[in-house]
Amino acid sequence: MRERPDLLITGTHLISMDPAVGDVANADVLVRDGQIAEIVPHTGAHDVTDAEVIDATGTIMLPGFVDTHWHLWNSLLRGTVGDRPGSDYFAVKRALAPHFELGDFYWAARFGLAEAASGGITTVHNFDHNVRSPQDADANIQAHLDSGLRGRFSYGPPDSASPDATNDLDDLRKLRARWPGYQLDGRLDFGVALRGPYRTPPEVYEREWAEARALGMPITMHCDRCMREEGCRVCGLARLEELGLLGEDVQVVHAVHADGRDIEALARTGTRVSLSPMTELRTMGFPLVTELLEAGVPVSLSLDTLAMPTSADILGHLRMIVSVEAARTGSATVTPRRLLQLATIGGARDLRLDDTVGSVTPGKRADLVILRASDINLVPSGDPVEALVYTGQIDNIDTVIADGRVLKRRGALVLDDGEPDPVAMAEARRDALLARAAAAGDWPPPTPSTTAGERSLQ
């Protein structure tokens, strides 16, 4: 793991996401041993001689973005999913998932996390719904630690597992012993990804919920019946409340067809909701951003997957959300600042990390994003918050710091000496994966005139 130097970041426009700190138009931020030690107005005479100085004049600084639901294992499927017949997400995933090797899980996660870091996302919840063995889980965990990012690993079932089969609960119990806290660098915790009562029978989901709660592990589940039940326009979350399955330890993902009773149940129980607007708009319907926020439901944001036509451009996602909500509801609830809150401190609250990250606050860990405010798309600017959401781009990100370590500098990812490039490794692993699947008859063999991105299932 790369070094963690003390840092003095000078002359930035700080958007702290902490009401006690506020926005500071010209700030110096001191980081010691990965922790935010001090925030003071910039005077040009900050007497710190033992820290590396980052001149942040003409920049905007935010807390690192927090992504609360990302299937890192299928990052290798980017370019194979599309609109052609037989190339939809589920068809491709089911065809290729059984052919993943241990190295594929590692490099898929490293690739996704590299894109996260490039986009200023410093915390990722890895919702792994293709754990085929304990070794697969370990590969994902090691990839996360090697990436330098913070997050959660949620242990799920193999892709397309039988409804009658539980998660590997034996290995779930062994996970913490296999990965003691000192190995996790204070950056990773564990949760459980469950399918729930609409996809598994009572003897499965009751046992899984009980085991997760006995272990004190947070639970995450998809609420996406609309993708499996034709004509479905209700999530059935009120029934989950009756079954005792909701609560502050539960995160529900999507819920685009939650009705009034569902939303009331979420708010009443403090259940978290992670919205993935880009994939929801493409495959499910309108994410209920306004309705959930106005009901007081804890909401966070997520990318979902790189297999779909998505990228880790969180500012582009926020711009899309604010425009869609303005057209869909006309409500003033969804503002640029509210969206930046959802992408930072809101995500940290979802993952129970708000005492550690999510705002630029003395005493919290230094997960920071520095953007060039002088780039052409950000000038002239009145309100920097509005500028970021309305016109900001991933290319504006100059520096990304996670737990005090610089992961991106001057617009480029930082790799340790001799460290393989995750992008090149992911490309090679993806090509080998497709070749294995083709040899098994589960994927069309390549032809001289067909590129990988043009292939589709027949």
Side-chain angles (χ1 to χ4, degrees):
M1 178 53 62
R2 60 183 59 89
E3 294 181 357
R4 184 194 281 131
D6 289 347
L7 302 169
L8 176 61
I9 304 161
T10 64
T12 188
H13 184 111
L14 174 63
I15 302 171
S16 73
M17 293 298 154
D18 181 343
V21 175
D23 294 357
V24 184
N26 197 15
D28 289 356
V29 178
L30 179 64
V31 175
R32 291 203 180 277
D33 194 28
Q35 185 178 71
I36 300 166
E38 188 178 36
I39 301 170
V40 298
H42 177 67
T43 63
H46 204 140
D47 186 19
V48 177
T49 59
D50 59 346
E52 176 186 335
V53 176
I54 297 177
D55 182 356
T57 305
T59 70
I60 300 169
M61 186 163 76
L62 295 162
F65 298 121
V66 179
D67 187 290
T68 58
H69 153 247
W70 192 332
H71 306 298
L72 288 173
W73 74 267
N74 62 28
S75 298
L76 295 187
L77 305 189
R78 174 181 272 168
T80 61
V81 176
D83 296 326
R84 302 168 303 280
S87 67
D88 66 273
Y89 172 71
F90 287 107
V92 172
K93 182 168 68 79
R94 287 165 183 156
L96 297 180
H99 298 284
F100 268 65
E101 295 180 347
L102 200 58
D104 299 328
F105 287 108
Y106 178 88
W107 286 110
R110 283 298 307 274
F111 172 59
L113 293 165
E115 182 161 336
S118 182
I121 300 170
T122 55
T123 299
V124 174
H125 173 202
N126 183 0
F127 184 137
D128 192 343
H129 56 5
N130 190 27
V131 180
R132 311 190 79 80
S133 71
Q135 292 75 29
D136 296 345
D138 291 347
N140 273 273
I141 294 165
Q142 189 62 58
H144 210 127
L145 295 174
D146 291 347
S147 76
L149 297 183
R150 189 180 312 280
R152 173 179 295 164
F153 175 76
S154 282
Y155 198 122
D159 183 72
S160 301
S162 166
D164 297 324
T166 66
N167 278 16
D168 187 344
L169 299 180
D170 289 338
D171 191 52
L172 192 64
R173 298 184 199 100
K174 298 173 183 175
L175 193 63
R176 284 181 175 149
R178 196 162 69 244
W179 289 97
Y182 72 87
Q183 291 189 13
L184 301 178
D185 192 34
R187 292 186 286 115
L188 197 68
D189 69 359
F190 300 133
V192 189
L194 302 179
R195 289 163 290 173
Y198 292 106
R199 296 174 62 189
T200 55
E203 57 268 23
V204 171
Y205 70 74
E206 288 174 357
R207 183 182 173 198
E208 290 180 333
W209 245 262
E211 189 69 31
R213 285 177 165 166
L215 293 170
M217 287 188 176
I219 297 164
T220 185
M221 63 164 281
H222 286 125
C223 181
D224 55 358
R225 293 173 66 193
C226 55
M227 300 190 75
R228 294 171 173 82
E229 300 178 23
E230 187 174 354
C232 174
R233 288 297 180 269
V234 62
C235 287
L237 294 170
R239 178 187 170 222
L240 269 64
E241 182 187 21
E242 294 169 359
L243 294 171
L245 303 182
L246 299 184
E248 294 183 2
D249 61 339
V250 176
Q251 179 203 69
V252 169
V253 181
H254 303 314
V256 298
H257 290 135
D259 64 9
R261 291 182 64 241
D262 291 331
I263 293 174
E264 289 171 4
L266 292 168
R268 193 160 43 240
T269 57
T271 303
R272 285 93 163 97
V273 175
S274 176
L275 298 176
S276 306
M278 198 65 75
T279 57
E280 288 157 5
L281 283 167
R282 188 169 183 83
T283 61
M284 303 173 209
F286 288 105
L288 303 177
V289 185
T290 298
E291 291 88 341
L292 292 167
L293 288 177
E294 290 181 348
V297 176
V299 174
S300 62
L301 301 174
S302 57
L303 182 67
D304 197 343
T305 174
L306 295 184
M308 298 285 284
T310 53
S311 69
D313 180 8
I314 186 64
L315 295 177
H317 291 203
L318 299 186
R319 182 159 51 255
M320 177 270 295
I321 296 168
V322 75
S323 297
V324 168
E325 289 304 283
R328 188 178 71 86
T329 71
S331 170
T333 296
V334 178
T335 64
R337 186 172 291 272
R338 190 70 178 271
L339 287 173
L340 283 178
Q341 289 170 344
L342 296 186
T344 54
I345 190 65
R349 290 189 184 114
D350 185 326
L351 300 181
R352 304 177 179 179
L353 292 173
D354 50 307
D355 61 344
T356 303
V357 293
S359 66
V360 184
T361 302
K364 287 191 177 185
R365 303 302 293 174
D367 287 9
L368 307 168
V369 181
I370 303 173
L371 304 98
R372 293 181 302 275
S374 58
D375 284 0
I376 189 170
N377 59 299
L378 289 175
V379 294
S381 172
D383 180 348
V385 170
E386 292 187 353
L388 287 177
V389 174
Y390 288 142
T391 62
Q393 300 173 3
I394 193 172
D395 291 345
N396 302 133
I397 297 175
D398 181 90
T399 303
V400 176
I401 299 166
D403 208 50
R405 299 183 178 98
V406 178
L407 302 187
K408 184 176 184 178
R409 189 191 296 269
R410 290 184 288 276
L413 289 175
V414 177
L415 297 177
D416 290 334
D417 291 341
E419 181 182 359
D421 179 2
V423 177
M425 292 300 298
E427 277 198 302
R429 298 300 307 201
R430 200 281 293 266
D431 290 347
L433 168 68
L434 296 185
R436 288 195 302 275
D442 294 329
W443 189 257
T447 64
S449 61
T450 304
T451 65
E454 294 171 335
R455 300 169 197 155
S456 64
L457 291 174
Q458 304 299 317

